[in-house]
Amino acid sequence: MDTSEWGNNDGLYDIDDLDLEQYGLQYDNPSFLDTNKPDYSFWTGSELGFLNNAISFVSGTLKSEPEHESYSFAHPQYTSYIKEEPMQDVPHPNYIKVDASQQQTIYPSTPHTETHLTGKRKESEASSSDFVINIERHPPVEVRTRTPSEVRTFTVSAKVVGNLRKIPGAIMRIILYYERNSESDQEPVKKDILGGTKTVPVHSDGSVVFDNLTISESSTKHKEREFVLMFSLLRNDGFEVAKMPSKSFYAYSHKKVLQRRGSVKLRTLSKTWGRMSGGDQMHLIGSPFIQGPALSIIVRTQHGDMEVKNIEFFSDSVLFFILPAYPVPQGGMTISLESEFQSQILLTNDSRTYSNALDFIYITDQAASRYRT
């Protein structure tokens, strides 16, 4: 229906112009349908609602209203709370406070994401481009730097999936990038420390091989950051068609560096318990702690592993950190005042090798007052 002619100078719609029965609409107020009210009259709430729905419907924009609004009930994560049966027509449960001696069901305030100890990144299998780069041979996990007297090379290879006839004369280029971490994005290394042939033609079967690559500087000279190789598929005019990063690798100058990096041992924690709500200030003693983006403390619990986000590096043998809250499962969990949850603290310098574990327990906030710091 053409609605462009509706209305008059006073801005009111002529309801007689609406063929309501054609759209299955009815209204039980004949006096309302027969005449337009002058601009100095007031519409009733039902009339305005009906008119708005009628106009929206014939304009193709009528949308059903949601059955309920979405409510969020703010509540502390780990105090004495139990779940109350939800009232009818309320989409989310309320929470009521109970005596700390009773059993309680607690719920997480935010979804918990587990941190897994194996694997740094899954390589993407999909691309919005017409071409996908499958890396068949990644760099070694650790690459030793070259020296004036010894050139140490490594090899990587990949295969392009797609109709290469669309990009005749395609070439593949690799660029050295820093691995992405919590403090910085993946970015190219400005200094030219990647040696060897870094641009090769793509074979008719889509394969490419770089077999004489070298690194001239260690990760230690780059704030312990790891590197990745960015594979970039280019047309013969230099336009980038697709790209894909390799797995990360650590560059080292001597085997003793690797031995030190992977031989971290923990001695003690400042205390062996913490509140389920988190927030306890703690320090960890051990060695050697290597300051860099891969340094991380892991809290392992029966409900998942957590990575400590706020580590303060004091020395290569002392770290300060704030204990994260216990990872309460999304379905909730029932606890009592005496509940204790056995956990462990681990540390890694490189996200690959981990220290020995120190035992640790989470206790309820109410029970914490009985423990000595």
Side-chain angles (χ1 to χ4, degrees), residues 82-97:
I82 64 171
K83 180 178 178 182
E84 184 185 47
E85 289 298 321
M87 302 188 330
Q88 189 174 4
D89 296 331
V90 177
H92 296 288
N94 270 320
Y95 294 82
I96 59 175
K97 196 166 186 177

PDB file of all heavy atoms in Angstrom, residues 82-97:
ATOM      1  N   ILE A  82      21.753 -17.821  48.211  1.00  0.00           N
ATOM      2  CA  ILE A  82      21.200 -19.029  47.627  1.00  0.00           C
ATOM      3  C   ILE A  82      20.205 -18.632  46.560  1.00  0.00           C
ATOM      4  O   ILE A  82      19.734 -17.502  46.501  1.00  0.00           O
ATOM      5  CB  ILE A  82      20.501 -19.927  48.680  1.00  0.00           C
ATOM      6  CG1 ILE A  82      19.273 -19.194  49.271  1.00  0.00           C
ATOM      7  CG2 ILE A  82      21.453 -20.351  49.765  1.00  0.00           C
ATOM      8  CD1 ILE A  82      18.421 -20.084  50.129  1.00  0.00           C
ATOM      9  N   LYS A  83      19.900 -19.582  45.713  1.00  0.00           N
ATOM     10  CA  LYS A  83      18.981 -19.308  44.612  1.00  0.00           C
ATOM     11  C   LYS A  83      17.542 -19.448  45.081  1.00  0.00           C
ATOM     12  O   LYS A  83      17.165 -20.434  45.691  1.00  0.00           O
ATOM     13  CB  LYS A  83      19.270 -20.289  43.478  1.00  0.00           C
ATOM     14  CG  LYS A  83      18.382 -20.112  42.271  1.00  0.00           C
ATOM     15  CD  LYS A  83      18.784 -21.099  41.187  1.00  0.00           C
ATOM     16  CE  LYS A  83      17.877 -20.967  39.981  1.00  0.00           C
ATOM     17  NZ  LYS A  83      18.224 -21.947  38.940  1.00  0.00           N
ATOM     18  N   GLU A  84      16.712 -18.456  44.788  1.00  0.00           N
ATOM     19  CA  GLU A  84      15.294 -18.486  45.118  1.00  0.00           C
ATOM     20  C   GLU A  84      14.545 -18.954  43.877  1.00  0.00           C
ATOM     21  O   GLU A  84      14.949 -18.686  42.757  1.00  0.00           O
ATOM     22  CB  GLU A  84      14.835 -17.083  45.508  1.00  0.00           C
ATOM     23  CG  GLU A  84      13.379 -17.037  45.952  1.00  0.00           C
ATOM     24  CD  GLU A  84      12.956 -15.602  46.206  1.00  0.00           C
ATOM     25  OE1 GLU A  84      13.234 -14.739  45.363  1.00  0.00           O
ATOM     26  OE2 GLU A  84      12.359 -15.343  47.242  1.00  0.00           O
ATOM     27  N   GLU A  85      13.460 -19.686  44.057  1.00  0.00           N
ATOM     28  CA  GLU A  85      12.663 -20.110  42.916  1.00  0.00           C
ATOM     29  C   GLU A  85      12.191 -18.879  42.149  1.00  0.00           C
ATOM     30  O   GLU A  85      11.632 -17.955  42.727  1.00  0.00           O
ATOM     31  CB  GLU A  85      11.458 -20.911  43.398  1.00  0.00           C
ATOM     32  CG  GLU A  85      11.827 -22.283  43.924  1.00  0.00           C
ATOM     33  CD  GLU A  85      12.447 -23.134  42.847  1.00  0.00           C
ATOM     34  OE1 GLU A  85      11.972 -23.060  41.691  1.00  0.00           O
ATOM     35  OE2 GLU A  85      13.401 -23.867  43.144  1.00  0.00           O
ATOM     36  N   PRO A  86      12.391 -18.826  40.828  1.00  0.00           N
ATOM     37  CA  PRO A  86      11.997 -17.635  40.072  1.00  0.00           C
ATOM     38  C   PRO A  86      10.495 -17.448  40.058  1.00  0.00           C
ATOM     39  O   PRO A  86       9.738 -18.407  39.964  1.00  0.00           O
ATOM     40  CB  PRO A  86      12.541 -17.931  38.672  1.00  0.00           C
ATOM     41  CG  PRO A  86      12.675 -19.410  38.609  1.00  0.00           C
ATOM     42  CD  PRO A  86      12.995 -19.863  39.994  1.00  0.00           C
ATOM     43  N   MET A  87      10.038 -16.211  40.163  1.00  0.00           N
ATOM     44  CA  MET A  87       8.624 -15.904  40.090  1.00  0.00           C
ATOM     45  C   MET A  87       8.163 -16.006  38.649  1.00  0.00           C
ATOM     46  O   MET A  87       8.942 -15.874  37.720  1.00  0.00           O
ATOM     47  CB  MET A  87       8.368 -14.499  40.636  1.00  0.00           C
ATOM     48  CG  MET A  87       8.851 -14.338  42.074  1.00  0.00           C
ATOM     49  SD  MET A  87       8.381 -12.787  42.832  1.00  0.00           S
ATOM     50  CE  MET A  87       8.309 -11.677  41.506  1.00  0.00           C
ATOM     51  N   GLN A  88       6.890 -16.264  38.444  1.00  0.00           N
ATOM     52  CA  GLN A  88       6.349 -16.369  37.103  1.00  0.00           C
ATOM     53  C   GLN A  88       6.521 -15.049  36.354  1.00  0.00           C
ATOM     54  O   GLN A  88       6.370 -13.979  36.909  1.00  0.00           O
ATOM     55  CB  GLN A  88       4.867 -16.747  37.177  1.00  0.00           C
ATOM     56  CG  GLN A  88       4.273 -17.089  35.808  1.00  0.00           C
ATOM     57  CD  GLN A  88       2.862 -17.599  35.947  1.00  0.00           C
ATOM     58  OE1 GLN A  88       2.338 -17.626  37.042  1.00  0.00           O
ATOM     59  NE2 GLN A  88       2.261 -18.006  34.846  1.00  0.00           N
ATOM     60  N   ASP A  89       6.876 -15.161  35.077  1.00  0.00           N
ATOM     61  CA  ASP A  89       7.063 -14.010  34.190  1.00  0.00           C
ATOM     62  C   ASP A  89       8.321 -13.205  34.527  1.00  0.00           C
ATOM     63  O   ASP A  89       8.474 -12.100  34.039  1.00  0.00           O
ATOM     64  CB  ASP A  89       5.850 -13.056  34.207  1.00  0.00           C
ATOM     65  CG  ASP A  89       4.603 -13.738  33.671  1.00  0.00           C
ATOM     66  OD1 ASP A  89       4.768 -14.640  32.823  1.00  0.00           O
ATOM     67  OD2 ASP A  89       3.505 -13.365  34.091  1.00  0.00           O
ATOM     68  N   VAL A  90       9.196 -13.734  35.356  1.00  0.00           N
ATOM     69  CA  VAL A  90      10.480 -13.072  35.603  1.00  0.00           C
ATOM     70  C   VAL A  90      11.564 -13.916  34.971  1.00  0.00           C
ATOM     71  O   VAL A  90      11.705 -15.088  35.305  1.00  0.00           O
ATOM     72  CB  VAL A  90      10.760 -12.903  37.106  1.00  0.00           C
ATOM     73  CG1 VAL A  90      12.135 -12.281  37.332  1.00  0.00           C
ATOM     74  CG2 VAL A  90       9.677 -12.031  37.731  1.00  0.00           C
ATOM     75  N   PRO A  91      12.327 -13.367  34.024  1.00  0.00           N
ATOM     76  CA  PRO A  91      13.240 -14.188  33.232  1.00  0.00           C
ATOM     77  C   PRO A  91      14.473 -14.661  33.967  1.00  0.00           C
ATOM     78  O   PRO A  91      15.097 -15.606  33.567  1.00  0.00           O
ATOM     79  CB  PRO A  91      13.634 -13.245  32.088  1.00  0.00           C
ATOM     80  CG  PRO A  91      13.468 -11.878  32.659  1.00  0.00           C
ATOM     81  CD  PRO A  91      12.312 -11.979  33.598  1.00  0.00           C
ATOM     82  N   HIS A  92      14.879 -14.014  35.034  1.00  0.00           N
ATOM     83  CA  HIS A  92      16.087 -14.392  35.748  1.00  0.00           C
ATOM     84  C   HIS A  92      15.786 -14.531  37.238  1.00  0.00           C
ATOM     85  O   HIS A  92      14.910 -13.848  37.765  1.00  0.00           O
ATOM     86  CB  HIS A  92      17.185 -13.342  35.554  1.00  0.00           C
ATOM     87  CG  HIS A  92      17.627 -13.226  34.145  1.00  0.00           C
ATOM     88  ND1 HIS A  92      18.384 -14.189  33.514  1.00  0.00           N
ATOM     89  CD2 HIS A  92      17.392 -12.265  33.227  1.00  0.00           C
ATOM     90  CE1 HIS A  92      18.614 -13.832  32.266  1.00  0.00           C
ATOM     91  NE2 HIS A  92      18.023 -12.676  32.074  1.00  0.00           N
ATOM     92  N   PRO A  93      16.510 -15.409  37.943  1.00  0.00           N
ATOM     93  CA  PRO A  93      16.212 -15.616  39.361  1.00  0.00           C
ATOM     94  C   PRO A  93      16.665 -14.458  40.232  1.00  0.00           C
ATOM     95  O   PRO A  93      17.615 -13.768  39.926  1.00  0.00           O
ATOM     96  CB  PRO A  93      17.017 -16.881  39.686  1.00  0.00           C
ATOM     97  CG  PRO A  93      18.155 -16.860  38.707  1.00  0.00           C
ATOM     98  CD  PRO A  93      17.571 -16.256  37.454  1.00  0.00           C
ATOM     99  N   ASN A  94      15.925 -14.278  41.320  1.00  0.00           N
ATOM    100  CA  ASN A  94      16.375 -13.355  42.367  1.00  0.00           C
ATOM    101  C   ASN A  94      17.351 -14.083  43.279  1.00  0.00           C
ATOM    102  O   ASN A  94      17.487 -15.306  43.214  1.00  0.00           O
ATOM    103  CB  ASN A  94      15.188 -12.869  43.202  1.00  0.00           C
ATOM    104  CG  ASN A  94      14.590 -11.609  42.626  1.00  0.00           C
ATOM    105  OD1 ASN A  94      15.310 -10.740  42.178  1.00  0.00           O
ATOM    106  ND2 ASN A  94      13.266 -11.525  42.644  1.00  0.00           N
ATOM    107  N   TYR A  95      17.999 -13.348  44.169  1.00  0.00           N
ATOM    108  CA  TYR A  95      18.882 -13.954  45.146  1.00  0.00           C
ATOM    109  C   TYR A  95      18.547 -13.370  46.519  1.00  0.00           C
ATOM    110  O   TYR A  95      18.288 -12.178  46.646  1.00  0.00           O
ATOM    111  CB  TYR A  95      20.353 -13.678  44.798  1.00  0.00           C
ATOM    112  CG  TYR A  95      20.757 -14.356  43.531  1.00  0.00           C
ATOM    113  CD1 TYR A  95      20.474 -13.771  42.287  1.00  0.00           C
ATOM    114  CD2 TYR A  95      21.379 -15.590  43.552  1.00  0.00           C
ATOM    115  CE1 TYR A  95      20.818 -14.398  41.112  1.00  0.00           C
ATOM    116  CE2 TYR A  95      21.724 -16.214  42.378  1.00  0.00           C
ATOM    117  CZ  TYR A  95      21.440 -15.616  41.170  1.00  0.00           C
ATOM    118  OH  TYR A  95      21.786 -16.248  40.004  1.00  0.00           O
ATOM    119  N   ILE A  96      18.540 -14.223  47.537  1.00  0.00           N
ATOM    120  CA  ILE A  96      18.248 -13.753  48.875  1.00  0.00           C
ATOM    121  C   ILE A  96      19.387 -14.155  49.795  1.00  0.00           C
ATOM    122  O   ILE A  96      20.032 -15.178  49.596  1.00  0.00           O
ATOM    123  CB  ILE A  96      16.911 -14.320  49.400  1.00  0.00           C
ATOM    124  CG1 ILE A  96      16.951 -15.862  49.416  1.00  0.00           C
ATOM    125  CG2 ILE A  96      15.748 -13.815  48.579  1.00  0.00           C
ATOM    126  CD1 ILE A  96      15.727 -16.476  50.031  1.00  0.00           C
ATOM    127  N   LYS A  97      19.648 -13.338  50.796  1.00  0.00           N
ATOM    128  CA  LYS A  97      20.742 -13.597  51.713  1.00  0.00           C
ATOM    129  C   LYS A  97      20.283 -14.541  52.819  1.00  0.00           C
ATOM    130  O   LYS A  97      19.166 -14.458  53.304  1.00  0.00           O
ATOM    131  CB  LYS A  97      21.238 -12.285  52.314  1.00  0.00           C
ATOM    132  CG  LYS A  97      22.593 -12.402  52.976  1.00  0.00           C
ATOM    133  CD  LYS A  97      23.177 -11.025  53.239  1.00  0.00           C
ATOM    134  CE  LYS A  97      24.590 -11.146  53.776  1.00  0.00           C
ATOM    135  NZ  LYS A  97      25.210  -9.833  53.987  1.00  0.00           N
TER     136      LYS A  97
END
